[in-house]
Amino acid sequence: MSTIEVNVPDIGDFKDVPVIEVFVKPGDVVKAEDSLVTLESDKATMDVPAPAAGTVKELKVKVGDKVSEGTAILTLETAAAGAASTKPAPAPQAAAAAPAATASPPPGAAAAPAAATETKPKEPAAAAPAPSAAAAGVIPVKVPDIGDFKDVPVIEVFVKPGDAVKPEDPLVTLESDKATMDVPAPSAGVVKELKVKVGDKVSEGSVILLLEAAGTTQPAVSGSAKTDAPAAAPSAAPQTAAAAPAAAKPVAAAAPVDNEAFKVAHASPSVRAFARVLGVDLSKVKGSGPKDRILKEDVENYVKQVISGAAAAPAAAQSGAALGLLPWPQVDFAKFGPVESKPLSRIKKISGANLHRNWVMIPHVTNHEDADITDLEDFRVRLNKENEKSGIKVTMLAFLIKASVAALKKFPEFNASLDGENLIYKKYYNIGFAADTPNGLVVPVIKNADQKGVLAIAKEMGELSGKAREGKLGPADMQGGCFSISSLGGIGGTYFTPIINAPEVAILGVCRSTTRPVWDGKQFVPRLILPLSLSWDHRVIDGAAAARFNSYLVALLGDMRRIML
């Protein structure tokens, strides 16, 4: 028998993904590919399968914990043959035998402390007696693998020389353009020397501090150390419970925190933990740091405002009063007749928050246009007959994706995203399409659509739509979109206003085609007309550009040979 550690696999760019279900307990026997836990990101729900058959020895997570790629889920006792393809967990002695190897945690480990601090405030570190030379060694703690980011600023330092730390305690917080991450302690020990300060810029491999690591036989903080040695000054980490102001009680009595809005607030993990201690909804706090990042001082000032009555009441904020709107009507529907209450599905709750943000923050404008697809539809029908044996069914949406790529190339501002005061022009063409599922709409993405023909696009669309209906879409299937298409062709309608899928700047809505009489200069002839609705971000695109984009797209659908020009 062999014991292995089962970790979270590659889940794309997602960090701190909540565990929403745990399917096993210690002692359970599992088969290879059995579901162990379910994770839920902003865009998808995914199961983590067992890598091999075996018996669950120890659970490392519970419902509500947040995990990232590489986070340990459980230990599994497997047969030796079944464990051959899975990397065994390192023996505890490995840390003492090769301290240099543990200085840089594996990829994804940097996000683990952020998840831990969300639910458990960090206790003040107690001064630990210096370990013996035989049981400890000074190791450099380095920045782990943080992807392709370089020169990432240090925005917080949680420790000082002399502080005792436990494994996975956050040491510093880094903030890239896209994420905030903590660098954890690789082992227990005492900080000997700091090598960085707030404002320094670091990259993978940069030394953060020197740590005198405790040996495996002597814990960094023993029970006697806590009583005999004087307690060290509380760490600078804002999540320290002792640092919470006396205002915790009034804020805790406020309205429940909006978890979806809390997740997207621009704040470091330590500030998030500090806000949770006080019961503060970060979505209501205005940040004063770089790029409007919320600082600890901003949370404290918000608490003071609430106590003094200067801040709007949470209930009023939730009802729309913060936007100067009338309160949301509170109605007892049951007094008018029978009612039934059903909770929203997870997909609708997640997408609802994103759609609301996009609608409020993006100045939408929608242009409507009609495309004559009579000849294209004839070609599509012939193509399906010719390829009947292949099993590939070409829909009009496959042609729309191909035509949209050509339009994006001609009008590059539609293939861009806003990043502060800069406009990021993308040199790749990934097209998302809305897929209807029993639980709600999801948006799979056709990657590198410019490099694929219509048949290849149709085949990939079919595969992604099938995964969507079965609830098996992974995060990678829904990332990296440049432009989206929402098609109601199979249902009906004439025109509508699709909501832009941020950070994209445009989305194409498509309704059901109908046969209409069209004047050709001599007579009315029946033509198949496809209604199009293009919503665009007025911060990036103006009306003239949108009209040209729509006109060009209509011309392509009228004669797809134009794509070759």
Side-chain angles (χ1 to χ4, degrees):
M1 302 295 285
S2 174
T3 300
I4 64 172
E5 186 174 76
V6 180
N7 300 326
V8 176
D10 180 4
I11 55 174
D13 296 331
F14 294 105
K15 303 289 184 185
D16 299 336
V17 181
V19 178
I20 63 169
E21 285 186 89
V22 177
F23 299 119
V24 295
K25 61 184 183 299
D28 281 357
V29 177
V30 297
K31 302 186 296 293
E33 300 303 320
D34 277 357
S35 295
L36 303 176
V37 300
T38 297
L39 315 178
E40 183 176 70
S41 73
D42 290 342
K43 305 208 171 187
T45 301
M46 64 210 89
D47 286 355
V48 176
T55 303
V56 177
K57 300 301 291 180
E58 181 186 359
L59 277 175
K60 302 281 192 179
V61 296
K62 61 184 183 300
V63 172
D65 285 355
K66 294 185 177 180
V67 298
S68 303
E69 179 184 344
T71 302
I73 295 173
L74 53 80
T75 53
L76 188 70
E77 187 175 85
T78 68
S85 63
T86 307
K87 185 179 179 180
Q93 290 82 0
T102 63
S104 296
T117 57
E118 295 282 0
T119 56
K120 183 177 180 183
K122 180 182 174 183
E123 299 176 357
S132 63
V138 176
I139 60 172
V141 178
K142 301 177 181 178
V143 176
D145 180 4
I146 54 175
D148 297 329
F149 297 109
K150 303 290 183 185
D151 298 330
V152 182
V154 177
I155 62 169
E156 288 184 84
V157 177
F158 300 131
V159 294
K160 61 184 182 300
D163 280 355
V165 296
K166 301 185 293 295
E168 302 302 323
D169 276 357
L171 304 175
V172 301
T173 296
L174 314 179
E175 183 176 69
S176 72
D177 290 340
K178 309 222 171 190
T180 302
M181 63 208 91
D182 283 359
V183 176
S187 61
V190 177
V191 177
K192 301 301 291 180
E193 182 183 353
L194 278 174
K195 297 290 189 180
V196 296
K197 62 184 182 300
V198 172
D200 286 355
K201 294 187 177 181
V202 297
S203 304
E204 179 183 344
S206 299
V207 177
I208 295 170
L209 54 80
L210 299 181
L211 183 71
E212 187 173 342
T216 57
T217 59
Q218 180 177 350
V221 181
S222 65
S224 60
K226 290 183 181 179
T227 55
D228 298 339
S235 166
Q239 65 266 38
T240 304
K249 185 174 179 181
V251 180
V257 170
D258 182 344
N259 288 325
E260 293 301 327
F262 192 101
K263 282 194 294 186
V264 300
H266 187 27
S268 69
S270 56
V271 171
R272 291 175 183 276
F274 181 61
R276 287 192 187 279
V277 169
L278 301 181
V280 171
D281 189 342
L282 287 179
S283 67
K284 298 180 175 64
V285 180
K286 181 173 177 57
S288 62
K291 300 180 182 177
D292 297 326
R293 179 167 52 84
I294 299 171
L295 308 177
K296 177 187 173 186
E297 292 76 13
D298 298 326
V299 177
E300 292 173 338
N301 290 336
Y302 177 82
V303 171
K304 293 174 184 176
Q305 290 176 351
V306 171
I307 294 172
S308 66
Q318 288 187 339
S319 68
L323 298 176
L325 305 177
L326 292 174
W328 191 263
Q330 301 297 311
V331 180
D332 180 8
F333 299 103
K335 72 180 182 181
F336 301 110
V339 298
E340 181 183 5
S341 178
K342 291 184 178 180
L344 286 170
S345 69
R346 288 196 299 266
I347 288 180
K348 287 186 176 178
K349 284 191 288 188
I350 293 169
S351 62
N354 288 321
L355 290 169
H356 181 242
R357 176 200 62 200
N358 296 350
W359 182 252
V360 171
M361 295 187 68
I362 299 174
H364 283 65
V365 183
T366 305
N367 284 32
H368 304 292
E369 189 62 88
D370 291 334
D372 187 336
I373 59 167
T374 309
D375 297 336
L376 184 58
E377 174 63 11
D378 289 343
F379 175 65
R380 186 189 71 84
V381 172
R382 291 200 310 271
L383 193 62
N384 279 335
K385 286 182 180 179
E386 293 169 3
N387 290 276
E388 191 172 358
K389 293 182 180 180
S390 69
I392 301 173
K393 183 180 179 182
V394 179
T395 65
M396 187 57 63
L397 185 55
F399 288 104
L400 281 164
I401 289 174
K402 196 65 180 173
S404 295
V405 168
L408 292 175
K409 288 182 176 180
K410 187 173 181 65
F411 301 96
E413 64 265 40
F414 285 80
N415 197 40
S417 287
L418 270 175
D419 183 15
E421 296 182 354
N422 295 323
L423 195 57
I424 307 300
Y425 289 89
K426 300 160 195 172
K427 304 299 182 182
Y428 51 91
Y429 301 89
N430 299 340
I431 310 297
F433 65 96
D436 195 12
T437 76
N439 294 318
L441 287 174
V442 293
V443 185
V445 176
I446 303 288
K447 305 289 175 57
N448 300 314
D450 59 314
Q451 302 172 23
K452 298 171 182 175
V454 171
L455 289 176
I457 290 173
K459 182 175 184 294
E460 189 171 343
M461 280 175 53
E463 293 169 351
L464 289 172
S465 297
K467 289 173 68 175
R469 288 190 294 270
E470 296 169 6
K472 294 183 178 179
L473 281 177
D477 295 324
M478 294 181 285
Q479 289 180 328
C482 304
F483 181 82
S484 295
I485 301 176
S486 179
S487 175
L488 303 178
I491 302 171
T494 307
Y495 304 102
F496 69 107
T497 299
I499 298 178
I500 297 168
N501 186 21
E504 298 167 18
V505 297
I507 181 172
L508 182 67
V510 185
C511 288
R512 184 170 57 191
S513 57
T514 57
T515 300
R516 303 181 197 170
V518 177
W519 182 254
D520 67 357
K522 296 181 180 179
Q523 60 183 343
F524 284 101
V525 294
R527 304 296 291 178
L528 188 63
I529 304 300
L530 182 68
L532 303 177
S533 300
L534 178 73
S535 286
W536 39 278
D537 186 338
H538 210 337
R539 297 172 299 176
V540 177
I541 298 162
D542 58 34
R548 292 187 183 99
F549 183 96
N550 252 359
S551 297
Y552 184 69
L553 187 62
V554 166
L556 292 177
L557 295 173
D559 187 351
M560 289 293 286
R561 292 174 298 182
R562 293 174 182 270
I563 289 180
M564 296 183 292
L565 300 178

